[in-house]
Amino acid sequence: MKKFVLFLLAGTLASNLWAQDNPTPKSPTAKKDRQAAKRERINNLLKQEEEGEIIFARQSAFGIKLNTDGYGLSYEIGRFKSARVANIFQLEINEKKHKKEKRTSLLNGFNFNSVIYGKLNNFYQVKLGAGQQRIIGGKGNKNGVAVMAVYTGGVAVGLEKPYFVDVVDQANQRYRKTYPEIIDSNYFEQGASGFTVGWDKVKPKYGVHAKGALRFDYGRFNETVAAIEVGLNAEYYVQKVAQMAYNPEKNFFFNAYISLLLGRRK
């Protein structure tokens, strides 16, 4: 049996080598048709590139985002359906600020600290979204600007982290407390406790989001993503979010934003 298998393998290998050395004759007409089709495809791609069309299969981009109620970072992956339409998938990490937040500087001895008076919680967001990018105004040339409509929606997870403040009482004993207890108990603020404090008391908030925007891609070459995006964003959370003492808790958030995107296409 072993000899039979070896003989069969040797025969198959010899047959493949003979086929490679003696290819089946091809019709001259079929060869010319394939060459003509290839030339036409290349010419179409070159024409699209000269006209400013994006002719790539995928893109990726990092973003720095400034909202009317906070700031954040984003990462995007795109898959082109055609030269003008791409499916996009986004990840965003944001911090949302309340419009009444005001940072106050404190001088404690030789140390300068700060505190946001009345702040109850930091509110961070992780958002996953999917949607489309659609070119509505192509580049006149490689040095022009492509105008795109962007619309996405998806899920959002909010993280409500208590805002702790270092305080002292009238006996000069130090504590970490939150508002409004600090106000009601006549503690003296020494400064915010910092980013690392309070993560063991985080409360998750679950919701959905949607956005619409215009993206202006001014990259010198089509393979480079260098764009400014401006748009509107709406979010709704099932549980209400508390940000400032003596202010109503909210389910719904609406903001405008501007984002700088940098990346590559392939």
Side-chain angles (χ1 to χ4, degrees), residues 67 69 92-96 123-128 154-160 203-210 233-243 249-255:
N67 304 320
D69 60 358
E92 289 187 24
I93 300 174
N94 303 298
E95 181 176 6
K96 188 172 289 293
F123 188 50
Y124 304 104
Q125 302 170 306
V126 179
K127 300 196 297 185
L128 293 173
V155 297
V157 178
L159 302 176
E160 189 182 81
K203 296 178 181 178
K205 308 287 182 175
Y206 302 101
V208 294
H209 72 94
N233 181 76
E235 302 155 10
Y236 181 82
Y237 292 89
V238 177
Q239 306 94 343
K240 288 188 175 182
V241 178
Q243 292 180 277
E249 300 179 357
K250 296 171 61 177
N251 294 91
F252 181 74
F253 297 86
F254 184 78
N255 62 55

Side-chain angles (χ1 to χ4, degrees), residues 156-177:
V157 178
L159 302 176
E160 189 182 81
K161 183 177 83 71
Y163 181 75
F164 278 93
V165 179
D166 294 331
V167 299
V168 295
D169 60 14
Q170 294 184 0
N172 207 33
Q173 295 293 314
R174 295 183 65 89
Y175 303 94
R176 280 181 172 165
K177 299 292 183 178

Side-chain angles (χ1 to χ4, degrees), residues 19-37:
Q20 292 176 6
D21 293 336
N22 301 275
T24 303
K26 296 180 180 178
S27 168
T29 303
K31 185 177 181 181
K32 289 181 180 179
D33 290 343
R34 285 195 299 272
Q35 290 176 343

Side-chain angles (χ1 to χ4, degrees), residues 19-55:
Q20 292 176 6
D21 293 336
N22 301 275
T24 303
K26 296 180 180 178
S27 168
T29 303
K31 185 177 181 181
K32 289 181 180 179
D33 290 343
R34 285 195 299 272
Q35 290 176 343
K38 183 178 180 180
R39 283 196 300 270
E40 183 178 359
R41 185 170 66 254
I42 293 173
N43 288 336
N44 287 334
L45 292 175
L46 291 173
K47 181 180 178 181
Q48 290 175 2
E49 186 174 15
E50 286 300 321
E51 292 175 351
E53 299 285 6
I54 297 173
I55 56 174

Side-chain angles (χ1 to χ4, degrees), residues 6 42 81 86 107 119 137 174 207 217-218 220 232 243 263-264:
L6 290 174
I42 293 173
K81 295 177 61 179
L107 177 60
K119 185 178 178 71
R174 295 183 65 89
D217 189 342
Y218 56 89
R220 179 174 176 82
L232 300 173
Q243 292 180 277
R264 300 285 297 178

